[in-house]
Amino acid sequence: MALTVKQLVNRHGAFVSAVTGALLGVAVLVLGLLENLVQFVSALAYGVAASDIGLAMPEVLGRLLLLAVPLALGFFLSLWIIAPIAEELRLPHVITRAILATGVASTVYFIVSAVVGVIGSFAINGSLYSQSLFSVLGFNASSAANALGGALGGALATFVTTLPLGILAGVLLWLWRKDHPPRHPLSGLIDEV
């Protein structure tokens, strides 16, 4: 059965799924900031000068947002459209859907980091005012390939490291929904197969 975009958007359970995805993103962001803070303090303990550490807060925050926002978005979309966690599910099904949501979140992170990496492989050679844009804009294919490989490795590592947090978020969502059942039944794309 083919679903229209209107049917997908009108699915129930978006708010709770969005809150769960946002909380997962905030947890990833806080854990990343704490990890960088521990690295900073341990480097200072070894006598490394603060200016030599290279952990500029805007850069660290930018990298973490590039991780946390796609993860939160992917987790939200999975719990809302693909495989929502409803109160009538059993624990093995909840864990399976949480694993799927973590996989979707890691896939969204891969797509975002791959696009950013490939865009970063374009370079401007020379002055924009003296030549045409096409002769100035260069593309480094090896840099793009490295960016894609790095994005894939990063997405796989992100999946493995965020899997326990994703399962915990799924189980907590399930427990919350058992105490606060939705007014309308929840179903996702996985339920309509």
Side-chain angles (χ1 to χ4, degrees):
M1 175 171 96
L3 294 173
T4 64
V5 173
K6 183 178 178 183
Q7 290 172 325
L8 285 175
V9 173
N10 286 335
R11 289 184 184 272
H12 298 285
F15 179 74
V16 176
S17 299
V19 169
T20 305
L23 289 175
L24 179 94
V26 167
V28 167
L29 186 65
V30 168
L31 288 172
L33 287 173
L34 288 174
E35 181 182 332
N36 282 306
L37 182 65
V38 168
Q39 289 174 356
F40 181 74
V41 169
S42 65
L44 288 177
Y46 283 110
V48 178
S51 60
D52 295 336
I53 295 174
L55 291 175
M57 190 52 74
E59 179 183 313
V60 168
L61 190 60
R63 279 188 285 133
L64 287 174
L65 284 175
L66 194 61
L67 168 69
V69 172
L71 283 178
L73 180 67
F75 208 78
F76 157 66
L77 289 174
S78 180
L79 290 180
W80 178 40
I81 294 177
I82 298 172
I85 294 177
E87 74 281 357
E88 68 264 4
L89 294 174
R90 300 188 53 151
L91 186 59
H93 294 106
V94 170
I95 292 173
T96 304
R97 287 176 184 228
I99 292 171
L100 176 66
T102 307
V104 170
S106 297
T107 303
V108 172
Y109 170 66
F110 165 73
I111 292 168
V112 169
S113 60
V115 167
V116 168
V118 169
I119 289 173
S121 65
F122 285 94
I124 296 176
N125 305 321
S127 172
L128 285 175
Y129 299 111
S130 64
Q131 301 171 359
S132 87
L133 180 63
F134 295 110
S135 64
V136 175
L137 190 62
F139 178 71
N140 189 344
S142 65
S143 176
N146 289 340
L148 289 174
L152 181 61
L156 291 173
T158 299
F159 174 75
V160 170
T161 58
T162 58
L163 186 60
L165 187 60
I167 292 173
L168 177 64
V171 170
L172 290 175
L173 173 63
W174 176 61
L175 291 173
W176 188 85
R177 284 227 164 115
K178 281 178 138 319
D179 291 338
H180 305 88
R183 286 179 264 161
H184 304 284
L186 300 174
S187 67
L189 293 177
I190 200 170
D191 299 320
E192 297 172 5
V193 181

